[in-house]
Amino acid sequence: MTSDDSAAPGLIPAPREASWAGPGRGLYRLDEETVLSAAPGAEGVARWLRAAVGAATGLELPSGTEGPRVELSPDPALAPEAYRLTVDAEAVRIAGGSAAGLFWGAQTFRQLLGPDAFRRAPIAPGRTWHVPAVVIEDAPRFSWRGLMLDVSRHFLPKDDVLRYLDLMAAHKLNVFHFHLTDDQGWRVEIKRYPRLTEAGAWRSRTKYGHRASELWDETPHGGFYTQDDIREIVAYAAERHIRVVPEIDIPGHSQAAISAYPELGNTDVIDTTTLSVWDTWGINPNVLAPTDDTLRFFEGVFEEVLDLFPAATSPFIHVGGDECLKDQWKESPTAQARIAELGLKDEDELQSWFIRHFDSWLTARGRRLIGWDEILEGGLAEGAAVSSWRGYAGGIAAAEAGHDVVMCPEQQVYLDHRQDGGPDEPMPIGYVRTLEEVYRFEPVPPGLSEEAVRHILGTQANVWTEVMQNRSRVDYQVFPRLAAFAEVAWTALPPPSDRDFTGFEERMTAHYARLDALGVDYRRPGGPLPRQRRPGILGRPIEGAPPVV
């Protein structure tokens, strides 16, 4: 931020430019006389602002163009997600390069009102609200600012998903990667294959803690989203200018699907009728058979997925492609015959053939395939994009080869990894990634060619839920680190070593109050509260600094 920051109310993510009038030199009064003026193209943002800010303040914000007012107006001279927010004694004026830009400007306006503007009802009816005088010019660094939420390992009910969309919007994140299928559960209704949810959405018990733990939760676990639930989630995201990237994981991470339809597995290697939805964690050997019947089955799945996730909201479809063990294919006469028939070199190329098939299939229907960086092995389909999770290397290779990339290296931005090295961290997994270390994450690695840099779409934080049984546990792992990540994704920050983490911490003081108002069960700066600890539950902490690979 620029100019006089002394009046800055802890904006997160930090705007590109902000010029504050300073203490006592200008406040806009928001009260029952304030009207809301929405130019054509701003109607949706006006509807959100009345619902969110109106609920917290108790103000109706009726339509009007004269007197004290909040103005929303598109400005085609601005970049699509850019906005300009001007507050003086007469009005709050928000201009945006598109409805999305207006929406991000409205989010900043909400922060300017103070933490109580994030509540669902006014706690002091009749209160007068004030906004500090300021001119903010802002725009995001990256077009892909994502959060991946795994609902397969532990199911989150629909309302919890909608809540996370609101939390994303409050942090100006705009891509929701929805991890819907895995070995431990299938979470989306597919009408032509009802057993995917009748059987594949439920497991009889669950490993409690890391897979090496001796403890089990014997409570049956599961759930799924009906097709109408999905439509509601997608519409809710669209109103908040969030794209949804559904993930249907193939050809690995597929035991839930195989347990529902055993013919999808490698029946010439194992008796797939004995498989159930997996109840533990790790990399599963039961992968899809590379047969025409399997291809047709998943074409049917994707046909319904495309209907549920329209192209305007979901131009990308994620197909997983990670951690596909090849042992069954090596033993399978059917798989080996397919390798010979196609003239492939090995099982890696067989997986590439599988992914290429769906790349062509999705492209023909106006969508783009994206997958985890293993889809590079055996040759990457033209037009496919890569989620680089094992480190930077896969993303670097893909970008230099002309493929679009989302940087989400596990060593830096897997939020299921522990936040501290102390003994009270619940079920500690992976490397320590503190708030400061996430703040110093840099999505674009040094040394990329200029052309390759243009292929870095942006960045994403990933949340895998093996040891997160409910919303509270997800909150604890995600926050406050998602606030640091959001600033990395939105704001053009200095190099990591030059970033002002002390200033960020100061702004977080105000932001913690916002999270409190939103009911987020975040990790406190002093460590977990007693109810957030999970003593005696085995995790898998990895010591030392994570490698940069």
Side-chain angles (χ1 to χ4, degrees), residues 94 105 127 134 138 159 162 252 255 276 303 326 330 374 390 397 410 421 434 476 527 530 549:
I94 305 173
R127 165 183 173 181
V134 67
D138 201 9
D159 283 354
L162 299 178
Q255 182 161 318
S276 59
E303 282 178 4
K326 312 297 195 301
K330 291 176 181 177
E374 285 96 330
R390 289 182 294 179
E410 66 166 326
T434 65
Y476 179 90
V549 294

Side-chain angles (χ1 to χ4, degrees), residues 123-202:
I123 59 175
R127 165 183 173 181
T128 297
W129 298 74
H130 293 94
V131 188
V134 67
V135 177
I136 295 174
E137 300 275 356
D138 201 9
R141 180 186 180 190
F142 292 111
S143 63
W144 186 301
R145 306 179 303 279
L147 176 71
M148 189 228 69
L149 186 60
D150 165 24
V151 295
S152 296
R153 275 50 179 269
H154 280 99
F155 177 69
L156 283 176
K158 179 196 68 177
D159 283 354
D160 289 345
V161 175
L162 299 178
R163 173 178 176 267
Y164 257 84
L165 292 170
D166 279 329
L167 291 171
M168 289 178 63
H171 292 83
K172 298 185 174 71
L173 299 174
N174 70 340
V175 177
F176 178 53
H177 178 165
F178 204 7
H179 184 81
L180 287 164
T181 73
D182 217 296
D183 300 301
Q184 295 85 1
W186 185 283
R187 305 293 179 218
V188 55
E189 178 187 25
I190 303 296
K191 291 188 180 294
R192 76 184 71 183
Y193 303 126
R195 283 190 55 78
L196 286 173
T197 46
E198 290 172 358
W202 309 92

Side-chain angles (χ1 to χ4, degrees), residues 168-489:
M168 289 178 63
H171 292 83
K172 298 185 174 71
L173 299 174
N174 70 340
V175 177
F176 178 53
H177 178 165
F178 204 7
H179 184 81
L180 287 164
T181 73
D182 217 296
D183 300 301
Q184 295 85 1
W186 185 283
R187 305 293 179 218
V188 55
E189 178 187 25
I190 303 296
K191 291 188 180 294
R192 76 184 71 183
Y193 303 126
R195 283 190 55 78
L196 286 173
T197 46
E198 290 172 358
W202 309 92
R203 58 180 184 260
S204 60
R205 65 175 187 169
T206 301
K207 176 66 71 173
Y208 194 45
H210 183 256
R211 61 179 175 271
S213 167
E214 297 181 355
L215 300 177
W216 294 88
D217 182 344
E218 298 292 345
T219 307
H221 180 85
F224 65 92
Y225 309 103
T226 68
Q227 294 204 347
D228 283 344
D229 289 340
I230 294 291
R231 292 186 179 98
E232 180 183 355
I233 288 167
V234 170
Y236 198 84
E239 288 178 347
R240 286 147 184 79
H241 300 278
I242 295 172
R243 287 174 283 154
V244 183
V245 179
E247 180 178 354
I248 305 296
D249 214 333
I250 56 175
H253 287 287
S254 296
Q255 182 161 318
I258 296 169
S259 72
Y261 291 92
E263 64 272 21
L264 296 174
N266 294 284
T267 57
D268 54 353
V269 176
I270 65 163
D271 180 1
T272 55
T273 64
T274 65
L275 296 178
S276 59
V277 177
W278 212 25
D279 55 14
T280 189
W281 321 121
I283 304 178
N284 190 301
N286 295 301
V287 302
L288 298 175
T291 65
D292 290 340
D293 287 344
T294 300
L295 296 181
R296 299 293 88 76
F297 183 97
F298 277 91
E299 286 173 1
V301 168
F302 281 116
E303 282 178 4
E304 295 194 25
V305 167
L306 295 191
D307 180 62
L308 296 173
F309 296 89
T313 305
S314 302
F316 285 91
I317 305 295
H318 207 292
V319 299
D322 62 314
E323 297 179 330
C324 178
L325 296 180
K326 312 297 195 301
D327 297 345
Q328 289 184 356
W329 287 354
K330 291 176 181 177
E331 298 176 21
S332 164
T334 300
Q336 293 302 310
R338 171 120 297 179
I339 289 174
E341 170 198 343
L342 297 171
L344 304 177
K345 183 173 64 176
D346 55 20
E347 290 76 20
D348 284 344
E349 289 195 357
L350 183 61
Q351 177 172 342
S352 177
W353 164 80
F354 204 103
I355 298 299
R356 283 174 182 270
H357 174 86
F358 285 100
D359 177 70
S360 299
W361 191 91
L362 289 168
T363 299
R365 288 156 181 81
R367 306 299 180 96
R368 289 189 64 189
L369 179 146
I370 186 169
W372 303 111
D373 55 58
E374 285 96 330
I375 67 173
L376 290 163
E377 298 165 2
L380 184 57
E382 184 178 354
V386 169
S387 302
S388 189
W389 76 272
R390 289 182 294 179
Y392 289 103
I396 292 170
E400 293 289 3
H403 294 277
D404 289 339
V405 172
V406 176
M407 283 294 186
C408 49
E410 66 166 326
Q411 300 85 354
Q412 280 74 40
V413 287
Y414 267 33
L415 300 185
D416 43 300
H417 284 206
R418 57 196 172 130
Q419 304 183 64
D420 188 87
D424 292 330
E425 292 305 308
M427 300 189 202
I429 300 295
Y431 296 101
V432 172
R433 290 287 86 193
T434 65
L435 182 67
E436 179 173 359
E437 285 162 336
V438 172
Y439 188 67
R440 297 190 189 280
F441 165 62
E442 173 49 49
V444 179
L448 282 183
S449 67
E450 289 186 16
E451 177 61 27
V453 169
R454 285 193 283 271
H455 284 289
I456 305 297
L457 298 177
T459 185
Q460 178 174 291
N462 293 342
V463 183
W464 301 102
T465 61
E466 286 92 338
V467 297
M468 299 180 219
Q469 296 81 9
N470 51 45
R471 185 179 86 178
S472 178
R473 281 286 294 121
V474 174
D475 277 3
Y476 179 90
Q477 292 300 131
V478 171
F479 289 99
R481 292 182 295 179
L482 191 68
F485 174 81
E487 186 150 309
V488 168

